[in-house]
Amino acid sequence: MRVVLLGTAAGGGFPQWNCACALCAAARDGKLPWRTEDSVAVTGNARDWWLLNASPDVRTQVAATSALSPGPGPRETPVRGVLLTDAEPHHVAGLTALCGAAGLKVYAPRPALAALTPARTVLDRYAPWEWADSLAEDGFVLAGGLVVTAHPVGEGPPEYVPPARRPDDRWTVAYRVEDLATGGAFVYAPRIGAWTAALDDLLETADCAVLDGTFFGADEVGMGQLSVTGPGGSLTALARHPGVRRIYTHLGNTNPLLDPGSTARAQVNGAGVEVLMDGAEFVV
């Protein structure tokens, strides 16, 4: 199974378009590398590719990834569909760039599918897509020999969802993707509300995990959000899984992990956890 990190920044990208913090300023000055918004591409056979989330930068990301180049026909693409972890705007806005591509299949947890109903109506008028609940009890099989299961991770709904529709613990999921031919398993969870025993169980079955690194310290976040360090932080939890390749993604623009020379990056790397750039590719 091949995995490509198409983008590794949180919503707004890096530098964030409306931010002049020290990190964003350093990026604009050419001192730190720019990053596009978080998304991943995965394949089990190098022919059928699936996107995990569709960021607003998806057109640029696909164009920068030779394996996703269109052809041989004028409207042919190796992209077969999208697996959405949630209905957050910066995870779904890229669907508009894909509209008109016939036959795509989009998976998402049921509450997210419901929230996206107006957008789905618009997109289907350009080319009908198949929309499916990713929380199917026994998972689902993707073209290319991949089997996927979705797992709720406790992060709530987008801000645009009316209060009456918010009480549901399935708004956001992690995906476990397994290569049927090799048994290699990959977990993708760019938004996590809090670390749970269920996440520990999930990583016990994985060879690689690409996880929420939005915030580095607890002082950056509000209640109910996961940080890398601090009480209940993910770095402590990840120490329980030394045999798993662990990678942080979805980096917020205030996160010192964006700076390769920072003490924060040294701390995370010293714990055996990686921070990779856009375009990084690896095999699971």
Side-chain angles (χ1 to χ4, degrees):
M1 173 167 49
R2 290 169 60 189
V3 180
V4 181
L5 304 185
L6 299 176
T8 54
F14 180 70
Q16 188 166 297
W17 71 274
N18 62 343
C19 182
C21 71
L23 288 168
C24 288
R28 292 191 182 94
D29 288 342
K31 298 174 183 176
L32 294 177
W34 290 41
R35 295 172 183 262
T36 59
E37 296 182 56
D38 183 83
S39 183
V40 169
V42 61
T43 182
N45 62 2
R47 295 186 304 276
D48 301 294
W49 286 85
W50 297 85
L51 306 184
L52 307 183
N53 286 337
S55 88
D57 299 314
V58 68
R59 179 187 175 279
T60 299
Q61 293 166 343
V62 169
T65 307
S66 59
L68 302 181
S69 297
R75 289 288 184 175
E76 294 182 30
T77 173
V79 176
R80 303 294 178 239
V82 183
L83 282 62
L84 301 175
T85 59
D86 50 64
E88 288 289 341
H90 60 285
H91 290 161
V92 306
L95 294 176
T96 60
L98 305 177
C99 76
L104 296 188
K105 188 163 187 177
V106 182
Y107 292 88
R110 186 171 295 277
L113 286 175
L116 293 172
T117 296
R120 291 167 54 188
T121 301
V122 172
L123 292 167
D124 282 344
R125 287 188 176 274
Y126 289 87
W129 289 353
E130 185 176 352
W131 303 82
D133 183 2
S134 62
L135 284 166
E137 184 175 351
D138 297 321
F140 50 95
V141 177
L142 301 177
L146 302 176
V147 61
V148 181
T149 53
H151 307 264
V153 290
E155 186 64 281
E159 290 298 321
Y160 63 81
V161 173
R165 293 171 55 188
R166 287 174 170 263
D168 197 312
D169 62 0
R170 303 167 301 156
W171 276 102
T172 303
V173 299
Y175 285 112
R176 181 184 184 275
V177 185
E178 181 177 342
D179 188 325
L180 289 173
T182 66
F186 158 69
V187 170
Y188 176 63
R191 289 183 71 231
I192 301 172
W195 198 275
T196 64
L199 276 168
D200 279 312
D201 292 342
L202 196 56
L203 263 65
E204 284 293 331
T205 71
D207 299 291
C208 177
V210 176
L211 302 169
D212 187 348
T214 309
F215 303 107
F216 183 74
D219 58 331
E220 291 180 75
V221 304
M223 293 181 63
Q225 293 177 283
L226 184 71
S227 61
V228 171
T229 59
S234 61
L235 193 61
T236 298
L238 289 176
R240 298 192 288 269
H241 304 279
V244 179
R245 184 176 185 183
R246 298 151 296 173
I247 301 166
Y248 279 128
T249 191
H250 204 269
L251 305 174
N253 67 291
T254 61
N255 192 328
L257 290 177
L258 291 163
D259 183 353
S262 66
T263 57
R265 181 75 76 91
Q267 178 183 352
V268 164
N269 289 165
V273 183
E274 300 172 78
V275 177
L276 302 179
M277 277 303 304
D278 291 13
E281 180 175 344
F282 50 90
V283 176
V284 179

